[in-house]
Amino acid sequence: MNAPLKCWAAALVALSLSSVGWSASADQQKPKVTILATGGTIAGAAATGTQSGYTSGAVTIDAMLAAVPGIDKVATVKGEQVANVGSQDMSFDVLLKLAKRINEIAPGSDVNGIVITHGTDTMEESAYFLNLTVKTDKPVVMVGSMRPSTAVSADGPLNLYNAVGVAADPRAKGRGVMVVMNDQIHAAHSLTKTSTTAVETFMSPGRGLIGVASYGKNDFYSSPTWKHTTQSEFDISKVTKLPRVDIVFADVDMPADLIDASVAAGAKGIVIAGVGNGNMNKASVDAAAKAAKSGVIVVRSSRVPTGLVGRNVELDDDKLGFVASYELNPQKARVLLALALLQKRSLADIQKLYDLY
Ligand code: ASP
């Protein structure tokens, strides 16, 4: 081949490789993201695209990835199935397994970020649990969907694309566990599910978003100020079971014997999903004070979605022996208490945890 012809042939090869978006060095430089799948609606399937009934956790991670065109351009993605359940069936046993698996793979040079697919029902407490128990600065991103994979306008594929985009982004490092859905990036501490059906279900009412994610392009607004991941004191490496902590829901004329029943069933801690600023009726205050006296840790949280539950507001926590959950809703206050109870701590020390985490 003469010289000009050789040049042209080389240019043609380079052009055709770049037009399919691939080159050996670009492929090596691509971030590496591991997806740990646990089920949920994102892995859900229905018989038709418009039916509201479906089965959560029916589709495998490989099938989910196959439904996201272009994801391989964002990162080299590898999937692992850890569980396949609707998140109403998520358990501390699976969460412990998940946290341990993350702690095992995160240090590897073949992992730049981790994505966890998960149902939305209990995603907020799972995100918070992982936020306190995984020991890495690398991005850990949870993602789900509100519509099953078979639905008209399924939201899962784009959510997954954006989640991988955040996990692959070095700017996402050190922000704790995040949830990416509906183009939004939430911090584990502050997000909560607000709609049973809408795709914009997650909101962070007290603190706002930490960023946005759009077709793999991210913008970060802030970092959570609470302690998490590498700064967290909770070590679950040898933990196989969490102590029982119950949530008791307060409402008008609530029966106080719900608290007695919890204690009798062996709860080591009780979180009150209180009315208003963590309140409950007089009979329940008496039952909770009795429980606290017997050594059960009672944390007052609130069923109200925003605001703080402060100490000694309408109830004298100092006298009654209660803990105030500050900004944590009941489901997250329960997670923190279960982890706190893994070792002996004073009431004051437990109260301090609600300040820091
Ligand atoms: N029940 C489902 C789950 O949490 C709902 C969802 O994923 O949106 O797994």
Side-chain angles (χ1 to χ4, degrees):
M1 205 187 284
N2 66 25
L5 203 60
K6 246 190 201 161
C7 256
W8 179 84
L12 195 69
V13 169
L15 188 72
S16 64
L17 286 179
S18 73
S19 69
V20 294
W22 183 90
S23 76
S25 66
D27 205 42
Q28 274 151 15
Q29 280 160 17
K30 257 194 304 185
K32 298 174 187 73
V33 172
T34 298
I35 303 186
L36 303 177
T38 72
T41 295
I42 192 166
T48 71
T50 51
Q51 99 185 26
S52 60
Y54 64 94
T55 312
S56 261
V59 177
T60 63
I61 180 62
D62 292 336
M64 264 151 64
L65 283 171
V68 191
I71 202 163
D72 54 327
K73 305 274 185 310
V74 181
T76 303
V77 178
K78 141 173 125 191
E80 233 180 86
Q81 198 81 44
V82 175
N84 210 357
V85 293
S87 71
Q88 55 272 42
D89 285 320
M90 185 50 65
S91 63
F92 283 133
D93 287 350
V94 176
L95 287 176
L96 283 168
K97 181 174 159 195
L98 190 58
K100 286 174 187 171
R101 184 68 186 136
I102 294 169
N103 288 337
E104 193 172 49
I105 63 172
S109 58
D110 58 339
V111 175
N112 295 106
I114 294 169
V115 168
I116 299 141
T117 58
H118 192 290
T120 63
D121 287 356
T122 60
M123 176 138 24
E124 62 193 91
E125 53 258 56
S126 293
Y128 186 63
F129 177 85
L130 296 176
N131 201 42
L132 300 183
T133 54
V134 301
K135 305 286 179 201
T136 181
D137 269 345
K138 292 182 184 173
V140 176
V141 178
M142 298 188 73
V143 64
S145 76
M146 291 302 286
R147 297 176 181 150
S149 63
T150 46
V152 171
S153 299
D155 53 332
L158 183 54
N159 285 345
L160 187 54
Y161 187 93
N162 281 334
V164 169
V166 173
D169 189 335
R171 294 170 306 157
K173 274 183 156 182
R175 294 180 200 263
V177 174
M178 291 159 278
V179 169
V180 173
M181 278 191 51
N182 199 41
D183 297 357
Q184 299 174 332
I185 310 172
H186 296 266
H189 179 277
S190 306
L191 90 150
T192 192
K193 186 170 182 176
T194 65
S195 166
T196 53
T197 53
V199 292
E200 189 173 19
T201 188
F202 284 112
M203 295 197 185
S204 293
R207 300 276 163 176
L209 300 177
I210 61 164
V212 287
S214 176
Y215 296 99
K217 197 169 168 297
N218 310 315
D219 214 342
F220 290 95
Y221 304 157
S222 63
S223 267
T225 52
W226 311 92
K227 279 183 153 206
H228 58 73
T229 55
T230 50
Q231 315 125 27
S232 167
E233 67 199 76
F234 300 106
D235 175 8
I236 48 84
S237 55
K238 295 194 177 64
V239 175
T240 52
K241 205 93 219 135
L242 288 181
R244 176 170 170 160
V245 175
D246 291 350
I247 297 176
V248 175
F249 194 89
D251 60 348
V252 71
D253 205 21
M254 74 182 276
D257 57 14
L258 290 177
I259 294 169
D260 304 331
S262 246
V263 176
K268 303 287 176 267
I270 297 174
V271 174
I272 308 288
V275 293
N277 199 337
N279 294 317
M280 62 201 118
N281 61 16
K282 175 78 177 64
S284 300
V285 171
D286 292 345
K290 194 169 121 209
K293 245 205 179 99
S294 74
V296 174
I297 305 297
V298 177
V299 175
R300 295 188 304 106
S301 180
S302 178
R303 63 181 207 177
V304 179
T306 60
L308 308 178
V309 172
R311 279 191 74 77
N312 303 322
V313 180
E314 286 184 67
L315 286 171
D316 188 341
D317 293 303
D318 295 344
K319 199 169 115 209
L320 295 161
F322 297 161
V323 171
S325 76
Y326 292 140
E327 213 172 295
L328 288 185
N329 66 19
Q331 50 274 35
K332 290 184 197 173
R334 174 177 181 243
V335 166
L336 181 55
L337 186 54
L339 289 169
L341 290 172
L342 286 171
Q343 72 180 65
K344 208 165 162 40
R345 297 170 199 265
S346 68
L347 260 190
D349 283 347
I350 294 175
Q351 181 64 76
K352 212 154 161 215
L353 295 176
Y354 284 86
D355 233 347
L356 297 174
Y357 293 93

